[in-house]
Amino acid sequence: MIELIHVSKSYGNKPAVSDLNLTIQPGELFAFLGPNGAGKTTTIKMMCGLLFPTEGTIRIAGFDLVERGEEARQQISYVPDTPFLYEKLTGRELLQFVADMYQMPPDKATKKITEMIELFSLESFVDDLTQNYSHGMRQRTVFASALVHEPLVLIVDEPTVGLDPRSIRLLKDVLRNETRRGATVFLSTHSLDIAEQLSDRIGVINNGKLIGCGTLDELRQRADLHGSLEDVFLKMTEEDATPAPTGDKAIETAITT
Amino acid sequence: MSSHAMTFQHLRWQILRNTMATLFSQSWWQLVIIGACCVAIWVVIFMISWFGFHEMKTQPTWQLPLDGSFMEYLFDIFFFMLTLLLTFSTGIILYSSLFSAPESQFLLTMPIPDDEIFAYKYQGAVAFSSWAFVLIGSPVLLAYGLEVGSGAPWYYYAILPAFFLGFLLIPGSIGSMLCLFIVNLLPRHRVQLLVGTIIVAILGACIWSILWFREAREFGVGTRTWFDNLLNELSFLGGSLVPFHWMSRGIKYAARGEPDIMAYNLALIWSHGLFLYLVTVWLSTMLYRRGFNRLASGDSIRQRYGGHWLDNLIQLPLFMLDEQTRMLIVKDFRAFRRDPAQWAQVIIFIGIGCAYFFMMRRFYEQDIGRPFKIGISMLTLVATSFLMCAYTGRFIFPMLSLEGNKFWILGLLPLDRSRVLIGKFVFSAMGCLAAGGLLILFSNLMLGMAWIIVVVHLITIVILALAFSGMAVGLGAIMPEFRENDPSKIAVGFGATVNLMACLLLMAVVIAAIAGPMQYLHGQTPDHAVPLEEIPLYVWAGMTVGIGIGVAAIWLPLRAGIQSLRAMEF
């Protein structure tokens, strides 16, 4: 469903993402982890068509994002870390706007909007202007608008920041249900426990390079560590940041570890 | 219309309807005041224009036929300037709207064709950049219609909106194309290119202005021969291939009751306007998303910003202030100089000032009568004050609102919140005093005005510079718009409109009270400067009243703003 083939991206002369290869299957929840500035948001923006890869190809549902961007974006929903809402629209009007932009048939749009309002418990405020929403209300509305057109690919950047435990639980259930429906979820997060609980596979990016990709067990083997995802993540990113020792230093390192 | 385009129109309508409903339910008086201000401005411009056209037609020394080539030339100049201003303002607004607005990023992730997003943004930018020109232009043309011949036919008034709408497409499209090309072709040097383009345009306008008044040397200012020769200089404007000339001719022939030529020119305007619009939209299919990508990834990931010599320079005259206030001013200055959309508009302001100065300079070199010179010096005072008023309204008023959701940083600092406003006040006053003071000083000296007039004009400018700054900063704190991130939108909001009207009113009162009596006195005895001891009491009384009002206008809004800011919760 998502294919990144030798994808690189540079800002000026500085590489942000280097030779990224990744294939994510339909119905899979893929957690994308990495320290700040590792290249997660750049990768996501390329997957949404906001940025073009300097090299390589990105395909969404078989459509090349550069060549057939509109068809590819028709399959995507993107929830950024700081989502945009029209302040002078109500939640219901926003959902209708998104449904119209994805050219949903009117009957289906009405049905899905009602479903989303119910799913995310928006009933009490959906007809208020979004400018009056709290952070949690905004986030629930954004998710409702992202799912209203039944996307095949859901790309989510840091969805749980500022949410209360009930909302986080709801979000987890929603993401799991999406994968059961057959959608692919690409989840970028710093919340390692959520990644551990939800994901089918985990990718770790550091300094623009994918330094690990697989199930939690595969990552444990890769890191040679049988701890939590937090331990594995810290070890992998630490190793990647440390220059490879040479000569006597290498022997010393081998002895101490 | 495609379904996306219809959805965008529906979105606009919903946003307008909800905004109006909110305003009506929460603060309907804001709408009433904004409407009243617009009507007041419209009526004043209409009255001045009507009087002007009437004088041109009936004054014995002029007796200009308003349906002749003279008016066509004047309209050429008007629409040429309008073309330049609309091109730049649409380009700048579109740059912010297409490439840095969060809405653009949201829309670009959806399956909407790029040209439809561009068209939606283009329509908004053109409407936003041109409504003020329509507000100013419509009373002028209406007054012209009433005065031309024995009155223009009915279809003249009916067709004016069609002329305006068609014309707006031309500079709007040119500005949009410039914006797309700048972002796409020279991403690493786009700022330099933008500055270069504006500087070239300003230099061109200055050279043009100098040429414009060259004839004044030979024939004397204000004579009809001078005007005839001057208009010959501008013959290039009247070329049949320039759109603003089609406007001039179309309007003139509509006023003269010749509908065939009117319709021909209207067709020229609309056909070229729509053609340029189509070309621009077509270009956007290739250049918009590409430009967005290049702009986002043209530079290094994290551009390093360090200290700049300009930051040190601006601190020099601030030595008397405490460290915290100085740092607040430098912070505001840094935010300002790092935003091309902001300082590019300041350059346009400076350009208008320079163009005016060069135009006036030709008057100074003439052996014209003292009454005329006194009148010119007064005109310069009014024009300079108006520029300061526009500058504070556009750039200073939005400053506090722009702190927005970042205000907790300043709010939590161990400093009195009044310093935030004092810092902005000093920042504003410095700019106004430097630009306004120098312009007034040089223009009066070049005109050979008596020292007493120079001093009085400088006092007026100092009072107005401080008062405009105090009002913009103070009212900006009383009526902030923390939800809005775009300074140009804050500058046309309710608070800014109130500020503008208050500043214009103050400008009229202060100039009339401080400079008016002295100007009147010297107008009565134009051959010599009035000695200090012979200045009558009413002049001193006027100055005292004017200074008193000015000081109140500096202090009262500033104090109210400080109180409002101290009481504000975040």
Side-chain angles (χ1 to χ4, degrees):
Chain A
M1 187 60 68
I2 301 176
E3 292 170 275
L4 288 89
I5 304 157
H6 296 296
V7 170
S8 298
K9 176 70 183 173
S10 301
Y11 291 99
N13 297 322
K14 294 191 178 177
V17 174
S18 303
D19 198 28
L20 188 60
N21 286 289
L22 199 58
T23 303
I24 306 169
Q25 300 302 329
E28 184 177 356
L29 198 153
F30 186 85
F32 199 46
L33 311 180
N36 291 326
K40 296 191 298 295
T41 303
T42 301
T43 306
I44 285 178
K45 284 187 172 177
M46 286 192 287
M47 287 164 56
C48 299
L50 284 171
L51 298 178
F52 296 156
T54 313
E55 284 172 33
T57 306
I58 299 177
R59 288 200 197 105
I60 304 287
F63 297 111
D64 185 318
L65 253 172
V66 177
E67 302 294 324
R68 301 177 68 181
E70 266 169 56
E71 287 108 319
R73 288 195 302 278
Q74 183 73 40
Q75 317 303 331
I76 299 175
S77 255
Y78 170 43
V79 180
D81 50 352
T82 47
F84 171 81
L85 286 178
Y86 287 100
E87 301 279 316
K88 296 291 181 195
L89 288 191
T90 65
R92 193 187 300 276
E93 287 167 345
L94 178 77
L95 295 178
Q96 186 65 56
F97 172 73
V98 173
D100 290 344
M101 279 302 177
Y102 281 88
Q103 299 184 313
M104 293 176 76
D107 292 349
K108 191 178 177 191
T110 309
K111 189 168 162 274
K112 280 301 291 182
I113 288 170
T114 311
E115 251 178 55
M116 287 298 119
I117 291 171
E118 201 177 313
L119 177 65
F120 288 96
S121 307
L122 310 180
E123 296 90 344
S124 58
F125 57 85
V126 74
D127 291 313
D128 295 344
L129 294 185
T130 63
Q131 65 182 17
N132 303 318
Y133 288 7
S134 67
H135 178 73
M137 289 150 86
R138 293 174 78 89
Q139 202 72 349
R140 277 146 64 192
T141 309
V142 165
F143 266 95
S145 70
L147 298 180
V148 75
H149 65 98
E150 297 179 332
L152 290 180
V153 174
L154 178 64
I155 300 168
V156 193
D157 196 359
E158 286 301 343
T160 55
V161 176
L163 290 185
D164 61 36
R166 188 178 293 276
S167 300
I168 291 175
R169 177 60 184 268
L170 172 68
L171 190 64
K172 285 182 194 171
D173 291 345
V174 166
L175 293 180
R176 263 282 149 235
N177 285 338
E178 282 301 300
T179 54
R180 276 189 212 113
R181 181 174 67 80
T184 305
V185 178
F186 189 94
L187 171 70
S188 167
T189 183
H190 287 299
S191 179
L192 299 180
D193 55 335
I194 287 181
E196 193 169 347
Q197 288 166 31
L198 291 181
S199 61
D200 299 311
R201 279 195 305 151
I202 298 164
V204 181
I205 188 171
N206 196 21
N207 295 323
K209 290 176 184 158
L210 194 66
I211 56 172
C213 184
T215 61
L216 180 55
D217 285 338
E218 286 167 350
L219 288 182
R220 279 180 182 138
Q221 281 175 13
R222 156 83 176 74
D224 197 18
L225 187 79
H226 290 279
S228 64
L229 176 59
E230 183 179 318
D231 296 330
V232 172
F233 173 78
L234 288 175
K235 181 150 190 251
M236 287 178 76
T237 50
E238 196 175 295
E239 274 176 3
D240 188 59
T242 314
T246 53
D248 293 345
K249 194 80 180 170
I251 296 164
E252 192 184 314
T253 309
I255 292 166
T256 52
T257 55
Chain B
M1 202 184 280
S2 77
S3 63
H4 286 131
M6 284 175 72
T7 307
F8 276 130
Q9 293 307 329
H10 187 58
L11 171 72
R12 263 207 199 98
W13 161 244
Q14 280 181 322
I15 289 174
L16 178 70
R17 188 196 60 196
N18 292 347
T19 306
M20 298 301 269
T22 311
L23 277 173
F24 269 118
S25 63
Q26 291 172 4
S27 46
W28 58 268
W29 48 275
Q30 288 193 4
L31 276 180
V32 173
I33 291 176
I34 289 176
C37 289
C38 290
V39 170
I41 291 170
W42 195 94
V43 169
V44 168
I45 296 171
F46 175 73
M47 298 303 284
I48 292 170
S49 309
W50 200 1
F51 174 77
F53 285 126
H54 185 74
E55 287 296 299
M56 284 166 81
K57 195 169 76 171
T58 56
Q59 257 271 343
T61 51
W62 291 73
Q63 288 190 328
L64 290 161
L66 292 183
D67 55 356
S69 58
F70 169 75
M71 278 312 298
E72 197 176 306
Y73 277 124
L74 277 190
F75 280 143
D76 279 343
I77 297 164
F78 175 71
F79 287 113
F80 173 65
M81 296 302 288
L82 206 58
T83 306
L84 281 182
L85 289 170
L86 282 175
T87 301
F88 284 120
S89 59
T90 308
I92 290 168
I93 291 170
L94 206 58
Y95 176 86
S96 304
S97 175
L98 285 177
F99 299 107
S100 46
E103 187 195 12
S104 300
Q105 187 162 314
F106 171 67
L107 295 174
L108 282 169
T109 61
M110 297 174 106
I112 310 168
D114 295 351
D115 54 343
E116 299 208 25
I117 302 175
F118 177 85
Y120 162 66
K121 293 283 185 179
Y122 169 91
Q123 288 157 18
V126 169
F128 192 63
S129 66
S130 59
W131 73 268
F133 295 115
V134 174
L135 183 72
I136 291 166
S138 59
V140 175
L141 294 177
L142 192 61
Y144 172 70
L146 291 173
E147 277 300 318
V148 67
S150 51
W154 66 268
Y155 53 79
Y156 166 83
Y157 305 102
I159 209 74
L160 279 180
F163 268 105
F164 261 110
L165 278 177
F167 177 68
L168 292 176
L169 290 173
I170 296 172
S173 301
I174 296 170
S176 309
M177 278 191 253
L178 280 175
C179 171
L180 286 175
F181 283 131
I182 286 171
V183 170
N184 275 277
L185 298 181
L186 287 163
R188 296 196 183 182
H189 304 292
R190 57 188 176 273
V191 172
Q192 291 87 332
L193 181 74
L194 185 68
V195 174
T197 310
I198 291 169
I199 288 172
V200 167
I202 290 167
L203 280 176
C206 292
I207 292 166
W208 177 58
S209 307
I210 292 164
L211 290 172
W212 205 43
F213 281 89
R214 197 178 62 190
E215 299 299 333
R217 285 201 198 117
E218 293 172 33
F219 303 106
V221 176
T223 63
R224 189 165 177 163
T225 324
W226 169 65
F227 255 113
D228 285 342
N229 282 280
L230 179 150
L231 294 173
N232 285 337
E233 292 277 349
L234 297 170
S235 56
F236 75 96
L237 288 178
S240 56
L241 295 178
V242 285
F244 43 85
H245 186 60
W246 304 332
M247 277 292 278
S248 309
R249 278 175 68 83
I251 285 170
K252 190 184 86 173
Y253 283 101
R256 277 168 61 155
E258 295 180 41
D260 47 346
I261 306 178
M262 174 200 80
Y264 171 71
N265 284 284
L266 185 65
L268 277 177
I269 287 167
W270 270 97
S271 55
H272 284 79
L274 289 173
F275 174 70
L276 281 174
Y277 173 69
L278 282 179
V279 171
T280 313
V281 170
W282 174 71
L283 283 173
S284 74
T285 57
M286 293 175 287
L287 298 179
Y288 177 29
R289 196 175 290 269
R290 186 171 175 269
F292 190 92
N293 172 63
R294 295 192 88 175
L295 203 62
S297 52
D299 296 319
S300 59
I301 306 170
R302 291 180 204 86
Q303 194 168 345
R304 293 187 185 281
Y305 291 98
H308 196 279
W309 61 270
L310 280 170
D311 299 342
N312 297 329
L313 183 70
I314 203 164
Q315 286 192 67
L316 286 179
L318 303 174
F319 63 91
M320 77 298 255
L321 297 173
D322 61 277
E323 180 76 10
Q324 286 177 324
T325 312
R326 272 212 314 270
M327 289 303 104
L328 287 169
I329 294 171
V330 171
K331 173 192 77 71
D332 285 339
F333 178 64
R334 278 185 178 148
F336 179 76
R337 72 175 170 77
R338 285 172 183 166
D339 184 353
Q342 287 279 77
W343 53 253
Q345 290 178 58
V346 169
I347 291 179
I348 292 176
F349 266 63
I350 293 170
I352 293 169
C354 288
Y356 174 82
F357 187 76
F358 279 113
M359 280 185 194
M360 290 298 116
R361 201 164 75 87
R362 293 299 161 196
F363 283 107
Y364 311 154
E365 293 172 356
Q366 297 307 305
D367 187 21
I368 55 176
R370 278 188 65 81
F372 200 78
K373 282 189 174 179
I374 289 170
I376 294 295
S377 77
M378 190 65 168
L379 186 65
T380 307
L381 180 68
V382 172
T384 308
S385 306
F386 188 77
L387 274 180
M388 291 196 309
C389 174
Y391 166 77
T392 51
R394 170 64 185 81
F395 298 102
I396 306 302
F397 182 88
M399 282 176 85
L400 191 86
S401 300
L402 289 175
E403 301 286 358
N405 51 16
K406 304 183 291 289
F407 199 83
W408 65 271
I409 301 172
L410 295 177
L412 291 178
L413 285 177
L415 57 81
D416 188 336
R417 285 184 185 177
S418 65
R419 287 192 187 171
V420 176
L421 285 200
I422 300 289
K424 294 186 192 309
F425 170 74
V426 173
F427 176 71
S428 166
M430 275 170 60
C432 286
L433 285 173
L438 284 174
L439 193 61
I440 286 298
L441 185 66
F442 280 122
S443 61
N444 275 307
L445 290 178
M446 290 175 79
L447 274 172
M449 288 290 102
W451 68 268
I452 187 85
I453 290 185
V454 179
V455 170
V456 167
H457 281 197
L458 279 174
I459 290 171
T460 312
I461 279 296
V462 169
I463 291 285
L464 285 178
L466 297 175
F468 289 162
S469 302
M471 288 167 78
V473 170
L475 295 177
I478 295 167
M479 294 174 281
E481 290 188 39
F482 287 129
R483 287 183 182 276
E484 183 57 67
N485 293 320
D486 185 345
S488 59
K489 287 186 179 159
I490 298 170
V492 293
F494 170 72
T497 311
V498 171
N499 176 60
L500 178 70
M501 292 308 290
C503 287
L504 288 175
L505 189 65
L506 179 80
M507 186 177 111
V509 170
V510 167
I511 291 178
I514 301 180
M518 187 65 80
Q519 214 77 20
Y520 174 74
L521 180 68
H522 281 79
Q524 298 296 102
T525 56
D527 298 331
H528 64 280
V530 180
L532 201 58
E533 58 276 11
E534 289 179 24
I535 289 174
L537 189 61
Y538 73 86
V539 176
W540 296 116
M543 284 179 67
T544 312
V545 169
I547 291 172
I549 291 171
V551 170
I554 299 165
W555 176 238
L556 292 177
L558 205 52
R559 193 184 64 169
I562 288 170
Q563 284 171 349
S564 170
L565 193 63
R566 280 182 177 148
M568 219 174 266
E569 292 176 349
F570 296 96

